[in-house]
Amino acid sequence: MVKEMRFDFNPLSLYKNNKHSHVFVKFAVSLLLLGIAFRLFVSDSITFSFVAETREAENRISMEDIKAESPVALLPIQQAVSGDFQANETQIPIKDSAKCDLFTGDWIPDPSGPTYSNVTCLAIEDHQNCMRNGRPDSGYLYWRWNPRDCQLPRFSPERFLDLMRNKSWAFIGDSISRNHVQSLLCILNQVDQAVEVYHDEEYKSKRWHFPSHNFTLSVIWTPFLLKAEVFEDINGISSSEIQLHLDELDTKWTEQYTNFDYVVIAGGKWFLKTAIYLENNTIQGCHYCPGKNLTELGFDYAYRKALQLVLSFITGSEHKAFVFFRTTTPDHFENGEWFSGGTCNRTIPFKEGEVEMRDVDSVMRDVELEEFEKAAAIGAEMGVILKLLDTTRLSLLRPDGHPGPYRQFHPFAKDKNAEVQNDCLHWCLPGPIDAWNDLVMKMILNDQTKR
Protein backbone atom coordinates (compact mmCIF):
# COMPACT_ATOMS: atom_id res chain seq x y z
CA MET A 1 0.00 0.00 0.00
CA VAL A 2 1.32 3.49 -0.72
CA LYS A 3 2.17 4.94 2.64
CA GLU A 4 0.98 8.38 3.77
CA MET A 5 3.90 10.81 3.71
CA ARG A 6 3.95 13.42 6.50
CA PHE A 7 6.03 16.60 6.75
CA ASP A 8 7.03 17.37 10.35
CA PHE A 9 8.55 20.69 9.34
CA ASN A 10 6.21 23.60 10.17
CA PRO A 11 7.18 26.89 8.44
CA LEU A 12 5.02 28.91 10.83
CA SER A 13 7.34 28.08 13.72
CA LEU A 14 9.84 30.58 12.27
CA TYR A 15 7.63 33.42 13.38
CA LYS A 16 8.20 32.58 17.02
CA ASN A 17 11.96 32.90 16.73
CA ASN A 18 12.29 36.19 14.97
CA LYS A 19 9.42 38.59 14.52
CA HIS A 20 11.70 41.06 12.71
CA SER A 21 12.39 38.61 9.86
CA HIS A 22 8.71 38.40 8.97
CA VAL A 23 9.09 39.47 5.35
CA PHE A 24 12.18 37.37 4.80
CA VAL A 25 10.52 34.32 6.28
CA LYS A 26 7.44 34.72 4.08
CA PHE A 27 9.69 34.94 1.04
CA ALA A 28 11.68 31.85 2.09
CA VAL A 29 8.57 29.84 2.80
CA SER A 30 7.10 30.80 -0.57
CA LEU A 31 10.24 29.58 -2.33
CA LEU A 32 10.13 26.33 -0.36
CA LEU A 33 6.49 25.70 -1.24
CA LEU A 34 7.12 26.52 -4.89
CA GLY A 35 10.01 24.08 -4.89
CA ILE A 36 7.90 21.32 -3.41
CA ALA A 37 5.11 22.02 -5.89
CA PHE A 38 7.56 21.90 -8.79
CA ARG A 39 9.04 18.63 -7.52
CA LEU A 40 5.58 17.09 -7.30
CA PHE A 41 4.77 18.28 -10.80
CA VAL A 42 7.85 17.00 -12.57
CA SER A 43 8.44 13.75 -10.67
CA ASP A 44 6.67 10.58 -11.69
CA SER A 45 8.64 8.48 -9.23
CA ILE A 46 7.00 9.66 -5.99
CA THR A 47 3.35 9.29 -5.12
CA PHE A 48 1.77 11.16 -2.23
CA SER A 49 -1.28 9.58 -0.74
CA PHE A 50 -3.36 11.84 1.46
CA VAL A 51 -5.61 9.46 3.34
CA ALA A 52 -9.10 10.79 4.05
CA GLU A 53 -11.02 10.06 7.21
CA THR A 54 -13.58 8.29 5.03
CA ARG A 55 -11.14 5.53 4.06
CA GLU A 56 -13.01 2.38 3.01
CA ALA A 57 -13.78 0.13 5.96
CA GLU A 58 -12.53 -2.96 4.12
CA ASN A 59 -9.13 -1.41 3.38
CA ARG A 60 -9.22 -2.05 -0.35
CA ILE A 61 -6.03 -1.48 -2.32
CA SER A 62 -6.02 0.13 -5.74
CA MET A 63 -3.92 -0.94 -8.71
CA GLU A 64 -1.86 2.25 -8.33
CA ASP A 65 -1.06 1.27 -4.75
CA ILE A 66 -0.02 -2.25 -5.79
CA LYS A 67 2.25 -1.20 -8.62
CA ALA A 68 3.86 1.57 -6.53
CA GLU A 69 5.08 -1.14 -4.13
CA SER A 70 6.48 -3.49 -6.74
CA PRO A 71 9.56 -5.13 -5.22
CA VAL A 72 10.83 -6.27 -8.60
CA ALA A 73 12.14 -2.78 -9.22
CA LEU A 74 15.07 -3.97 -7.11
CA LEU A 75 15.52 -7.21 -9.09
CA PRO A 76 17.32 -7.82 -12.38
CA ILE A 77 14.44 -7.89 -14.84
CA GLN A 78 14.44 -10.71 -17.36
CA GLN A 79 12.64 -9.97 -20.57
CA ALA A 80 9.69 -12.28 -21.13
CA VAL A 81 9.78 -13.98 -24.50
CA SER A 82 6.48 -12.52 -25.59
CA GLY A 83 3.99 -9.73 -25.11
CA ASP A 84 0.25 -9.75 -25.06
CA PHE A 85 -2.03 -11.62 -27.43
CA GLN A 86 -2.86 -9.42 -30.38
CA ALA A 87 -6.33 -9.28 -31.85
CA ASN A 88 -5.03 -10.31 -35.25
CA GLU A 89 -2.68 -13.08 -34.06
CA THR A 90 -3.06 -15.99 -36.45
CA GLN A 91 0.33 -17.67 -36.47
CA ILE A 92 2.33 -19.60 -33.93
CA PRO A 93 5.76 -17.97 -33.43
CA ILE A 94 8.73 -19.75 -34.92
CA LYS A 95 9.99 -20.79 -31.49
CA ASP A 96 6.80 -22.79 -30.91
CA SER A 97 7.13 -26.25 -32.36
CA ALA A 98 5.62 -29.68 -31.99
CA LYS A 99 7.99 -30.20 -29.05
CA CYS A 100 6.88 -27.03 -27.28
CA ASP A 101 6.20 -27.63 -23.59
CA LEU A 102 4.20 -24.82 -22.02
CA PHE A 103 4.52 -26.39 -18.60
CA THR A 104 8.30 -26.37 -18.24
CA GLY A 105 9.78 -23.00 -17.49
CA ASP A 106 10.48 -20.41 -14.84
CA TRP A 107 8.73 -17.66 -12.95
CA ILE A 108 10.42 -14.42 -13.93
CA PRO A 109 10.05 -10.92 -12.45
CA ASP A 110 7.27 -8.93 -14.09
CA PRO A 111 7.13 -5.24 -13.09
CA SER A 112 3.80 -4.73 -14.86
CA GLY A 113 1.99 -6.70 -12.16
CA PRO A 114 -1.61 -7.93 -12.30
CA THR A 115 -4.26 -6.58 -14.67
CA TYR A 116 -6.93 -6.37 -11.98
CA SER A 117 -7.34 -5.91 -8.22
CA ASN A 118 -10.03 -6.54 -5.65
CA VAL A 119 -11.28 -3.03 -6.42
CA THR A 120 -11.86 -3.77 -10.09
CA CYS A 121 -13.16 -7.32 -9.54
CA LEU A 122 -16.01 -8.15 -7.21
CA ALA A 123 -16.00 -11.89 -8.01
CA ILE A 124 -13.25 -12.72 -5.52
CA GLU A 125 -14.35 -14.81 -2.56
CA ASP A 126 -13.42 -13.49 0.87
CA HIS A 127 -10.96 -16.33 1.56
CA GLN A 128 -8.92 -15.50 -1.55
CA ASN A 129 -9.12 -11.73 -1.19
CA CYS A 130 -5.64 -11.39 0.29
CA MET A 131 -5.32 -7.64 -0.29
CA ARG A 132 -8.62 -6.85 1.43
CA ASN A 133 -7.72 -9.20 4.28
CA GLY A 134 -4.55 -7.25 5.04
CA ARG A 135 -1.70 -9.26 3.55
CA PRO A 136 1.22 -6.85 4.08
CA ASP A 137 3.48 -7.85 1.17
CA SER A 138 2.75 -7.54 -2.55
CA GLY A 139 5.82 -9.13 -4.14
CA TYR A 140 3.86 -12.26 -5.06
CA LEU A 141 1.99 -10.19 -7.66
CA TYR A 142 5.07 -9.43 -9.74
CA TRP A 143 6.02 -12.74 -11.33
CA ARG A 144 5.10 -14.18 -14.70
CA TRP A 145 5.24 -17.77 -15.94
CA ASN A 146 7.75 -18.02 -18.78
CA PRO A 147 7.98 -21.38 -20.65
CA ARG A 148 11.54 -22.10 -21.70
CA ASP A 149 10.81 -23.14 -25.28
CA CYS A 150 7.54 -21.35 -26.08
CA GLN A 151 6.09 -17.92 -26.29
CA LEU A 152 3.30 -17.33 -23.79
CA PRO A 153 1.50 -14.02 -24.34
CA ARG A 154 -0.57 -12.52 -21.58
CA PHE A 155 -4.26 -13.42 -21.64
CA SER A 156 -6.35 -11.08 -23.79
CA PRO A 157 -9.94 -10.77 -22.52
CA GLU A 158 -11.01 -9.06 -25.74
CA ARG A 159 -9.65 -11.82 -27.93
CA PHE A 160 -11.02 -14.55 -25.70
CA LEU A 161 -14.57 -13.17 -25.64
CA ASP A 162 -14.54 -12.65 -29.39
CA LEU A 163 -13.54 -16.29 -29.86
CA MET A 164 -16.17 -17.48 -27.39
CA ARG A 165 -19.13 -15.53 -28.69
CA ASN A 166 -22.32 -17.65 -28.40
CA LYS A 167 -20.41 -20.41 -26.57
CA SER A 168 -20.46 -21.95 -23.11
CA TRP A 169 -17.72 -22.98 -20.67
CA ALA A 170 -17.78 -25.06 -17.50
CA PHE A 171 -15.20 -25.58 -14.77
CA ILE A 172 -15.96 -28.90 -13.10
CA GLY A 173 -14.32 -29.95 -9.84
CA ASP A 174 -13.60 -28.76 -6.31
CA SER A 175 -12.80 -25.38 -4.75
CA ILE A 176 -9.61 -25.04 -6.81
CA SER A 177 -11.79 -25.06 -9.91
CA ARG A 178 -13.89 -22.35 -8.31
CA ASN A 179 -10.69 -20.43 -7.54
CA HIS A 180 -9.72 -20.78 -11.21
CA VAL A 181 -13.07 -19.58 -12.56
CA GLN A 182 -12.94 -16.51 -10.32
CA SER A 183 -9.57 -15.63 -11.82
CA LEU A 184 -11.04 -15.89 -15.31
CA LEU A 185 -14.06 -13.79 -14.29
CA CYS A 186 -11.82 -11.05 -12.92
CA ILE A 187 -9.91 -10.86 -16.20
CA LEU A 188 -13.00 -10.97 -18.44
CA ASN A 189 -14.92 -8.42 -16.39
CA GLN A 190 -12.53 -5.78 -17.66
CA VAL A 191 -14.21 -6.10 -21.06
CA ASP A 192 -17.73 -7.36 -20.45
CA GLN A 193 -19.42 -7.37 -17.04
CA ALA A 194 -20.74 -10.81 -16.16
CA VAL A 195 -24.23 -11.23 -14.77
CA GLU A 196 -24.76 -14.04 -12.27
CA VAL A 197 -27.79 -16.01 -13.46
CA TYR A 198 -27.67 -19.05 -11.15
CA HIS A 199 -26.27 -20.36 -7.91
CA ASP A 200 -27.04 -23.40 -5.82
CA GLU A 201 -28.13 -23.23 -2.19
CA GLU A 202 -24.55 -23.20 -0.90
CA TYR A 203 -23.25 -20.83 -3.59
CA LYS A 204 -20.69 -23.45 -4.62
CA SER A 205 -22.00 -23.97 -8.15
CA LYS A 206 -22.69 -20.83 -10.16
CA ARG A 207 -23.34 -19.62 -13.68
CA TRP A 208 -22.66 -16.24 -15.28
CA HIS A 209 -23.70 -14.70 -18.58
CA PHE A 210 -21.74 -12.11 -20.56
CA PRO A 211 -24.55 -10.32 -22.44
CA SER A 212 -22.43 -8.48 -25.01
CA HIS A 213 -20.97 -11.75 -26.28
CA ASN A 214 -23.71 -14.21 -25.32
CA PHE A 215 -21.04 -16.17 -23.51
CA THR A 216 -21.89 -18.41 -20.54
CA LEU A 217 -19.44 -19.43 -17.84
CA SER A 218 -20.25 -22.04 -15.18
CA VAL A 219 -18.58 -23.65 -12.22
CA ILE A 220 -19.94 -26.99 -11.00
CA TRP A 221 -18.82 -28.04 -7.55
CA THR A 222 -18.26 -31.79 -7.48
CA PRO A 223 -15.07 -32.50 -5.50
CA PHE A 224 -14.86 -36.20 -6.36
CA LEU A 225 -16.52 -36.05 -9.81
CA LEU A 226 -18.27 -39.17 -8.50
CA LYS A 227 -21.44 -39.71 -6.52
CA ALA A 228 -20.59 -39.08 -2.88
CA GLU A 229 -22.26 -38.50 0.45
CA VAL A 230 -20.25 -35.93 2.36
CA PHE A 231 -20.81 -35.07 6.02
CA GLU A 232 -18.76 -31.91 6.51
CA ASP A 233 -19.54 -28.47 7.85
CA ILE A 234 -18.34 -25.22 6.31
CA ASN A 235 -15.01 -25.53 8.16
CA GLY A 236 -14.29 -29.02 6.82
CA ILE A 237 -15.08 -30.79 10.09
CA SER A 238 -16.58 -34.24 9.42
CA SER A 239 -19.29 -35.90 11.45
CA SER A 240 -18.96 -39.20 9.56
CA GLU A 241 -16.86 -40.84 6.86
CA ILE A 242 -17.46 -39.89 3.25
CA GLN A 243 -19.36 -42.53 1.30
CA LEU A 244 -17.80 -42.60 -2.18
CA HIS A 245 -19.33 -44.59 -5.03
CA LEU A 246 -16.47 -45.61 -7.33
CA ASP A 247 -18.77 -46.81 -10.11
CA GLU A 248 -21.13 -43.82 -10.37
CA LEU A 249 -20.42 -40.35 -11.75
CA ASP A 250 -21.95 -37.30 -10.13
CA THR A 251 -25.04 -36.40 -12.17
CA LYS A 252 -24.57 -32.75 -11.19
CA TRP A 253 -22.10 -32.45 -14.06
CA THR A 254 -22.94 -35.34 -16.36
CA GLU A 255 -26.53 -34.15 -16.88
CA GLN A 256 -25.27 -30.74 -17.99
CA TYR A 257 -22.30 -31.92 -20.03
CA THR A 258 -23.95 -31.55 -23.44
CA ASN A 259 -24.56 -27.84 -22.74
CA PHE A 260 -20.88 -26.97 -22.78
CA ASP A 261 -18.56 -26.21 -25.69
CA TYR A 262 -15.49 -26.09 -23.45
CA VAL A 263 -14.83 -27.93 -20.19
CA VAL A 264 -12.02 -27.68 -17.63
CA ILE A 265 -12.29 -30.72 -15.36
CA ALA A 266 -10.13 -31.73 -12.39
CA GLY A 267 -10.07 -33.91 -9.30
CA GLY A 268 -7.44 -34.37 -6.65
CA LYS A 269 -7.18 -33.31 -3.04
CA TRP A 270 -10.51 -34.60 -1.79
CA PHE A 271 -9.36 -38.16 -2.45
CA LEU A 272 -6.92 -37.79 0.43
CA LYS A 273 -9.79 -37.55 2.89
CA THR A 274 -11.07 -40.46 4.97
CA ALA A 275 -13.68 -42.28 2.85
CA ILE A 276 -15.57 -45.54 2.59
CA TYR A 277 -15.49 -46.95 -0.96
CA LEU A 278 -18.54 -48.57 -2.51
CA GLU A 279 -19.27 -50.33 -5.79
CA ASN A 280 -22.74 -51.63 -6.66
CA ASN A 281 -23.76 -50.01 -3.37
CA THR A 282 -21.57 -52.53 -1.55
CA ILE A 283 -18.62 -51.53 0.62
CA GLN A 284 -15.34 -52.61 -0.97
CA GLY A 285 -12.87 -50.97 1.38
CA CYS A 286 -11.74 -47.54 2.46
CA HIS A 287 -8.99 -45.00 2.73
CA TYR A 288 -7.67 -44.21 6.20
CA CYS A 289 -10.47 -45.67 8.30
CA PRO A 290 -8.82 -47.19 11.40
CA GLY A 291 -11.12 -49.19 13.58
CA LYS A 292 -13.57 -49.98 10.79
CA ASN A 293 -12.21 -53.47 10.02
CA LEU A 294 -12.20 -52.62 6.30
CA THR A 295 -9.60 -53.23 3.61
CA GLU A 296 -7.32 -50.23 3.13
CA LEU A 297 -7.46 -49.67 -0.64
CA GLY A 298 -5.69 -46.31 -0.67
CA PHE A 299 -6.59 -42.98 -2.23
CA ASP A 300 -4.73 -43.81 -5.45
CA TYR A 301 -6.99 -46.82 -6.02
CA ALA A 302 -10.09 -44.64 -5.77
CA TYR A 303 -8.59 -41.80 -7.80
CA ARG A 304 -7.65 -44.12 -10.65
CA LYS A 305 -11.14 -45.62 -10.66
CA ALA A 306 -12.65 -42.13 -10.73
CA LEU A 307 -10.48 -40.87 -13.60
CA GLN A 308 -11.12 -44.00 -15.66
CA LEU A 309 -14.85 -43.47 -15.27
CA VAL A 310 -14.67 -39.71 -15.97
CA LEU A 311 -12.43 -39.98 -19.03
CA SER A 312 -14.42 -42.92 -20.41
CA PHE A 313 -17.57 -40.80 -20.17
CA ILE A 314 -15.90 -37.91 -21.99
CA THR A 315 -14.35 -39.96 -24.79
CA GLY A 316 -17.51 -42.01 -25.25
CA SER A 317 -19.93 -39.10 -25.32
CA GLU A 318 -21.60 -38.16 -28.58
CA HIS A 319 -21.15 -34.56 -27.51
CA LYS A 320 -17.70 -33.47 -28.66
CA ALA A 321 -16.66 -30.75 -26.24
CA PHE A 322 -13.16 -29.26 -26.07
CA VAL A 323 -11.94 -30.69 -22.77
CA PHE A 324 -9.00 -29.63 -20.60
CA PHE A 325 -8.01 -32.11 -17.93
CA ARG A 326 -6.19 -30.14 -15.22
CA THR A 327 -3.65 -31.95 -13.06
CA THR A 328 -3.49 -31.83 -9.28
CA THR A 329 -2.40 -28.75 -7.38
CA PRO A 330 0.25 -29.23 -4.68
CA ASP A 331 -0.13 -27.37 -1.40
CA HIS A 332 2.65 -25.62 0.50
CA PHE A 333 1.94 -26.30 4.16
CA GLU A 334 5.10 -26.27 6.25
CA ASN A 335 5.58 -27.31 9.89
CA GLY A 336 2.20 -29.03 9.93
CA GLU A 337 -1.00 -29.49 7.94
CA TRP A 338 -4.04 -27.22 7.64
CA PHE A 339 -5.50 -28.74 10.80
CA SER A 340 -2.28 -28.87 12.83
CA GLY A 341 -0.76 -25.42 12.59
CA GLY A 342 0.81 -25.63 9.12
CA THR A 343 1.88 -22.31 7.63
CA CYS A 344 3.10 -20.83 4.33
CA ASN A 345 5.08 -17.66 4.98
CA ARG A 346 7.37 -17.57 1.94
CA THR A 347 7.33 -14.41 -0.14
CA ILE A 348 9.16 -15.40 -3.35
CA PRO A 349 8.89 -18.33 -5.78
CA PHE A 350 11.08 -21.39 -5.64
CA LYS A 351 13.55 -21.93 -8.44
CA GLU A 352 13.65 -25.23 -10.28
CA GLY A 353 15.43 -27.80 -8.12
CA GLU A 354 14.73 -26.05 -4.81
CA VAL A 355 11.62 -28.07 -4.03
CA GLU A 356 10.24 -31.51 -4.75
CA MET A 357 6.68 -32.74 -4.73
CA ARG A 358 5.44 -34.63 -1.72
CA ASP A 359 4.85 -38.34 -2.18
CA VAL A 360 1.06 -38.03 -2.26
CA ASP A 361 1.22 -35.38 -5.01
CA SER A 362 3.65 -37.46 -7.05
CA VAL A 363 1.42 -40.54 -6.77
CA MET A 364 -1.65 -38.53 -7.72
CA ARG A 365 0.04 -36.93 -10.73
CA ASP A 366 1.39 -40.27 -11.95
CA VAL A 367 -2.15 -41.66 -11.92
CA GLU A 368 -3.38 -38.61 -13.83
CA LEU A 369 -0.72 -38.82 -16.53
CA GLU A 370 -1.19 -42.57 -17.02
CA GLU A 371 -4.98 -42.37 -17.31
CA PHE A 372 -4.89 -39.27 -19.47
CA GLU A 373 -2.48 -40.85 -21.94
CA LYS A 374 -4.78 -43.83 -22.41
CA ALA A 375 -7.88 -41.63 -22.76
CA ALA A 376 -6.22 -39.20 -25.18
CA ALA A 377 -5.45 -42.05 -27.58
CA ILE A 378 -9.08 -43.17 -27.49
CA GLY A 379 -10.32 -39.60 -27.75
CA ALA A 380 -8.26 -38.97 -30.88
CA GLU A 381 -9.98 -41.90 -32.59
CA MET A 382 -13.40 -40.67 -31.45
CA GLY A 383 -12.92 -37.07 -32.51
CA VAL A 384 -12.72 -35.73 -28.96
CA ILE A 385 -10.36 -32.85 -28.21
CA LEU A 386 -8.76 -33.74 -24.88
CA LYS A 387 -5.90 -31.57 -23.63
CA LEU A 388 -3.69 -31.93 -20.58
CA LEU A 389 -3.52 -28.71 -18.56
CA ASP A 390 -0.49 -29.62 -16.49
CA THR A 391 -0.35 -26.92 -13.84
CA THR A 392 1.33 -29.08 -11.18
CA ARG A 393 5.01 -28.24 -11.58
CA LEU A 394 4.58 -24.53 -12.24
CA SER A 395 2.25 -24.27 -9.22
CA LEU A 396 4.72 -26.16 -7.03
CA LEU A 397 7.18 -23.31 -7.53
CA ARG A 398 4.82 -20.70 -6.02
CA PRO A 399 4.71 -21.12 -2.23
CA ASP A 400 4.26 -17.36 -1.96
CA GLY A 401 0.91 -17.22 -3.74
CA HIS A 402 -1.43 -18.56 -1.04
CA PRO A 403 -3.60 -16.63 1.41
CA GLY A 404 -1.87 -18.20 4.40
CA PRO A 405 -3.35 -16.56 7.50
CA TYR A 406 -4.97 -13.89 5.32
CA ARG A 407 -7.88 -16.12 4.44
CA GLN A 408 -9.52 -14.10 7.23
CA PHE A 409 -10.05 -10.37 7.48
CA HIS A 410 -7.05 -8.78 9.22
CA PRO A 411 -6.33 -11.85 11.37
CA PHE A 412 -3.72 -10.12 13.55
CA ALA A 413 -5.59 -6.87 14.14
CA LYS A 414 -6.35 -7.67 17.79
CA ASP A 415 -3.38 -9.90 18.58
CA LYS A 416 -0.24 -9.92 16.45
CA ASN A 417 0.66 -13.33 17.90
CA ALA A 418 -2.74 -14.89 17.32
CA GLU A 419 -2.84 -18.53 16.23
CA VAL A 420 -4.62 -18.49 12.88
CA GLN A 421 -5.52 -21.33 10.53
CA ASN A 422 -3.58 -20.98 7.28
CA ASP A 423 -4.73 -21.66 3.72
CA CYS A 424 -1.72 -22.94 1.78
CA LEU A 425 -3.73 -24.65 -0.97
CA HIS A 426 -5.94 -22.03 -2.61
CA TRP A 427 -4.53 -18.97 -4.37
CA CYS A 428 -4.71 -15.26 -3.70
CA LEU A 429 -6.54 -13.25 -6.33
CA PRO A 430 -4.83 -11.66 -8.12
CA GLY A 431 -2.07 -14.25 -7.94
CA PRO A 432 -0.21 -17.13 -9.63
CA ILE A 433 -3.44 -18.87 -10.67
CA ASP A 434 -4.00 -16.10 -13.23
CA ALA A 435 -1.20 -17.69 -15.28
CA TRP A 436 -3.36 -20.78 -15.73
CA ASN A 437 -5.60 -18.70 -17.97
CA ASP A 438 -2.63 -17.59 -20.08
CA LEU A 439 -1.96 -21.30 -20.67
CA VAL A 440 -5.60 -22.08 -21.49
CA MET A 441 -5.81 -19.36 -24.10
CA LYS A 442 -2.50 -20.31 -25.67
CA MET A 443 -3.66 -23.92 -25.99
CA ILE A 444 -6.90 -22.83 -27.65
CA LEU A 445 -5.05 -20.70 -30.19
CA ASN A 446 -2.51 -23.44 -30.84
CA ASP A 447 -5.35 -25.86 -31.56
CA GLN A 448 -7.01 -23.44 -33.95
CA THR A 449 -3.85 -23.00 -36.03
CA LYS A 450 -3.72 -26.78 -36.58
CA ARG A 451 -7.16 -26.93 -38.13
Side-chain angles (χ1 to χ4, degrees):
M1 180 183 296
V2 175
K3 297 180 180 178
E4 182 178 3
M5 300 187 67
R6 301 179 184 272
F7 294 96
D8 294 328
F9 170 67
N10 181 2
L12 297 180
S13 64
L14 291 174
Y15 287 119
K16 298 179 181 179
N17 298 328
N18 190 350
K19 296 182 180 179
H20 299 290
S21 59
H22 180 76
V23 175
F24 173 77
V25 169
K26 288 182 66 177
F27 179 72
V29 170
S30 299
L31 286 177
L32 176 62
L33 293 175
L34 282 172
I36 293 173
F38 178 75
R39 183 177 180 84
L40 288 171
F41 178 76
V42 300
S43 174
D44 61 359
S45 62
I46 301 178
T47 302
F48 293 90
S49 174
F50 297 95
V51 182
E53 292 181 357
T54 57
R55 177 184 295 173
E56 293 182 28
E58 293 185 345
N59 193 27
R60 290 183 174 179
I61 301 175
S62 69
M63 290 303 301
E64 288 75 16
D65 293 332
I66 296 170
K67 292 183 178 180
E69 287 193 352
S70 171
V72 297
L74 304 177
L75 297 173
I77 302 301
Q78 302 178 48
Q79 185 63 41
V81 294
S82 59
D84 294 344
F85 280 109
Q86 301 300 316
N88 61 351
E89 181 183 347
T90 58
Q91 295 181 343
I92 297 178
I94 294 175
K95 199 173 184 181
D96 283 349
S97 67
K99 295 182 179 179
C100 168
D101 180 3
L102 290 168
F103 312 114
T104 299
D106 308 280
W107 289 95
I108 63 172
D110 179 14
S112 62
T115 60
Y116 68 90
S117 75
N118 64 332
V119 174
T120 62
C121 181
L122 302 180
I124 306 172
E125 286 189 359
D126 290 344
H127 289 170
Q128 280 80 60
N129 202 333
C130 302
M131 290 184 286
R132 171 187 174 275
N133 291 344
R135 179 168 172 169
D137 63 304
S138 61
Y140 67 97
L141 298 171
Y142 295 91
W143 300 89
R144 184 175 179 180
W145 178 247
N146 188 44
R148 293 176 191 164
D149 298 314
C150 316
Q151 292 195 4
L152 182 62
R154 193 185 295 272
F155 188 99
S156 167
E158 297 89 353
R159 181 79 191 279
F160 181 88
L161 286 171
D162 284 343
L163 289 170
M164 298 305 152
R165 190 178 297 275
N166 302 321
K167 296 190 183 299
S168 180
W169 274 62
F171 287 71
I172 301 171
D174 57 20
S175 56
I176 298 296
S177 293
R178 196 162 67 243
N179 202 173
H180 189 183
V181 83
Q182 289 166 17
S183 167
L184 182 58
L185 272 172
C186 288
I187 298 171
L188 297 180
N189 278 343
Q190 299 173 90
V191 176
D192 189 2
Q193 195 66 35
V195 178
E196 185 179 312
V197 294
Y198 167 80
H199 63 77
D200 63 5
E201 291 183 2
E202 296 179 315
Y203 288 80
K204 291 182 176 180
S205 295
K206 295 184 178 182
R207 184 166 62 251
W208 299 265
H209 183 246
F210 292 78
S212 297
H213 296 81
N214 191 29
F215 170 60
T216 302
L217 179 61
S218 300
V219 59
I220 301 174
W221 190 79
T222 170
F224 291 104
L225 307 174
L226 301 173
K227 178 182 176 181
E229 286 87 41
V230 180
F231 308 93
E232 287 189 0
D233 63 17
I234 193 171
N235 295 314
I237 306 302
S238 299
S239 58
S240 184
E241 295 84 5
I242 294 166
Q243 306 289 307
L244 186 59
H245 299 261
L246 301 183
D247 56 349
E248 295 185 58
L249 293 172
D250 187 351
T251 56
K252 258 194 304 189
W253 71 271
T254 57
E255 290 181 352
Q256 300 182 62
Y257 184 74
T258 57
N259 297 333
F260 306 125
D261 300 293
Y262 290 81
V263 169
V264 183
I265 195 165
K269 291 298 184 182
W270 276 68
F271 285 85
L272 299 178
K273 293 175 178 282
T274 296
I276 307 297
Y277 298 150
L278 300 94
E279 294 184 57
N280 297 319
N281 291 317
T282 302
I283 294 176
Q284 302 296 315
C286 69
H287 170 57
Y288 192 64
C289 55
K292 289 291 182 181
N293 195 28
L294 295 174
T295 303
E296 170 64 43
L297 295 175
F299 75 88
D300 52 327
Y301 172 86
Y303 194 40
R304 189 180 298 276
K305 283 267 190 179
L307 293 188
Q308 288 173 347
L309 203 59
V310 168
L311 295 171
S312 177
F313 174 86
I314 290 171
T315 56
S317 174
E318 293 183 1
H319 177 65
K320 309 303 180 186
F322 189 120
V323 180
F324 295 93
F325 174 66
R326 180 179 58 75
T327 57
T328 189
T329 304
D331 62 62
H332 292 94
F333 287 99
E334 296 184 68
N335 304 312
E337 298 297 329
W338 69 271
F339 54 84
S340 59
T343 59
C344 43
N345 299 321
R346 297 179 185 269
T347 57
I348 60 173
F350 287 122
K351 294 180 181 179
E352 191 68 39
E354 289 183 340
V355 62
E356 292 297 330
M357 278 191 289
R358 297 192 305 169
D359 290 343
V360 291
D361 292 322
S362 294
V363 169
M364 195 166 285
R365 187 164 181 268
D366 287 345
V367 170
E368 291 170 339
L369 296 181
E370 290 166 10
E371 296 306 322
F372 175 84
E373 185 177 356
K374 290 187 288 186
I378 297 172
E381 297 177 358
M382 304 296 292
V384 175
I385 301 174
L386 185 57
K387 300 290 184 181
L388 186 71
L389 181 59
D390 190 359
T391 57
T392 303
R393 291 295 305 180
L394 63 94
S395 300
L396 179 66
L397 300 177
R398 292 306 306 271
D400 57 322
H402 302 292
Y406 298 98
R407 64 188 298 271
Q408 302 175 25
F409 184 72
H410 289 268
F412 304 112
K414 295 181 179 179
D415 180 2
K416 65 179 181 180
N417 297 315
E419 292 185 7
V420 181
Q421 186 184 78
N422 279 240
D423 181 352
C424 305
L425 174 62
H426 299 93
W427 303 97
C428 291
L429 292 174
I433 198 171
D434 295 324
W436 295 9
N437 291 310
D438 294 342
L439 294 167
V440 165
M441 186 163 185
K442 179 63 174 176
M443 293 168 73
I444 291 171
L445 292 177
N446 282 355
D447 180 77
Q448 288 189 342
T449 61
K450 297 175 182 177
R451 298 189 183 186

